[in-house]
Amino acid sequence: LQDAASGRDPRSRGDEGSRRRWKEEICRILGEIQAPLSPLLLRLCHWLLPKLLTRLFLGVQLHRGQLEMVLRAARTPDVPLVFLCSHQCQVDGLLLSFVLLSQSIGVPRVAVGARTSPRLRSLLQRLGGIFLPSGMAQAWSDREEGLPGAVLDVYVQEVLRSRQPLVLFLEEPPASLRLAEPARRWLLRVLRALRDGAVPDVLIIPVGIAYDVAP
């Protein structure tokens, strides 16, 4: 982070005022990525989601054998779980979060697309949603990501170190069978965390979500 900040302002290594400014900028970028989890909202959603799902669907089917494999993987010490998911509709994140939480795997950090209103974004962040910082939307290459990219690198490393489940959607509906650009940026952070030794390993879990009729 110091290298990225000093690249934007060469005086920031020695000037106290400049250091304070880039620390404030880092906190602002971090606030765009995530917010502290709200236990009250999580309990409320855990109570409401079954009622919502029974109104949307006749039933939700899980492969019991595969679920048992995921539960065994979650007990692997010091190795975080990264779920790579197909993406059919906007309900996917809520559905997968509910399944993981109900199986005592933990509250996942779910990467959410940028096309959300400010109020919905704030709510989803309190429930575990994470977003790409706005400064990365204008970056055409990884080298141009600058300080927002460096903050995101460190953030993903800390999520993996703390063994919070990380959920990444590979597609953006209605497009399918093509890696979405936000997913590529998130995956790049996971690979960098492995390359830099932030975590010894990650367990990649592919998740397929399908609907008889997408809501």
Side-chain angles (χ1 to χ4, degrees), residues 1 3 6 10 20 40 52 61-62 79 81 106 119 154 160 175 185 194 210 212:
L1 289 177
D3 291 341
S6 61
R20 186 172 62 253
L40 176 62
L52 172 66
Q61 297 180 346
L62 300 173
V79 179
L81 304 181
R119 287 186 179 181
V154 176
L160 296 177
R185 292 181 188 264
L194 279 170
D212 291 335

Side-chain angles (χ1 to χ4, degrees), residues 4-104:
S6 61
R8 297 176 65 178
D9 184 359
R11 300 168 299 171
S12 62
R13 285 190 179 274
D15 181 70
E16 184 65 30
S18 296
R19 282 202 298 268
R20 186 172 62 253
R21 283 194 296 274
W22 66 252
K23 284 180 182 178
E24 291 173 353
E25 178 69 5
I26 287 170
C27 289
R28 184 194 66 78
I29 295 169
L30 185 59
E32 289 186 340
I33 298 173
Q34 63 110 55
L37 295 174
S38 170
L40 176 62
L41 278 176
L42 285 168
R43 285 196 295 270
L44 180 63
C45 284
H46 193 61
W47 177 75
L48 281 175
L49 268 176
K51 297 174 171 33
L52 172 66
L53 293 176
T54 53
R55 287 183 175 273
L56 285 176
F57 309 118
L58 293 176
V60 177
Q61 297 180 346
L62 300 173
H63 191 291
R64 186 176 296 277
Q66 292 178 356
L67 185 58
E68 289 174 356
M69 291 174 62
V70 173
L71 292 173
R72 285 202 303 271
R75 292 192 289 269
T76 306
D78 302 323
V79 179
L81 304 181
V82 178
F83 295 84
L84 301 184
C85 313
S86 60
H87 201 6
Q88 302 295 321
C89 75
Q90 302 304 326
V91 181
D92 295 348
L94 290 173
L95 182 62
L96 190 55
S97 295
F98 172 72
V99 169
L100 297 180
L101 198 56
S102 65
Q103 297 299 317
S104 302

Side-chain angles (χ1 to χ4, degrees), residues 118-130:
R119 287 186 179 181
L120 181 59
R121 180 178 181 134
S122 177
L123 174 63
L124 292 176
Q125 284 181 322
R126 295 290 183 178
L127 295 173
I130 53 177

Side-chain angles (χ1 to χ4, degrees), residues 162-211:
S162 61
R163 298 190 69 239
Q164 297 178 68
L166 181 62
V167 176
L168 305 179
F169 290 105
L170 301 181
E171 308 155 334
E172 282 197 350
S176 60
L177 302 179
R178 187 180 67 210
L179 183 65
E181 181 61 20
R184 187 191 69 81
R185 292 181 188 264
W186 285 110
L187 283 170
L188 181 61
R189 268 69 208 178
V190 174
L191 292 174
R192 284 179 180 170
L194 279 170
R195 181 198 64 191
D196 297 340
V199 287
D201 200 1
V202 296
L203 287 172
I204 300 293
I205 300 176
V207 179
I209 300 176
Y211 302 93

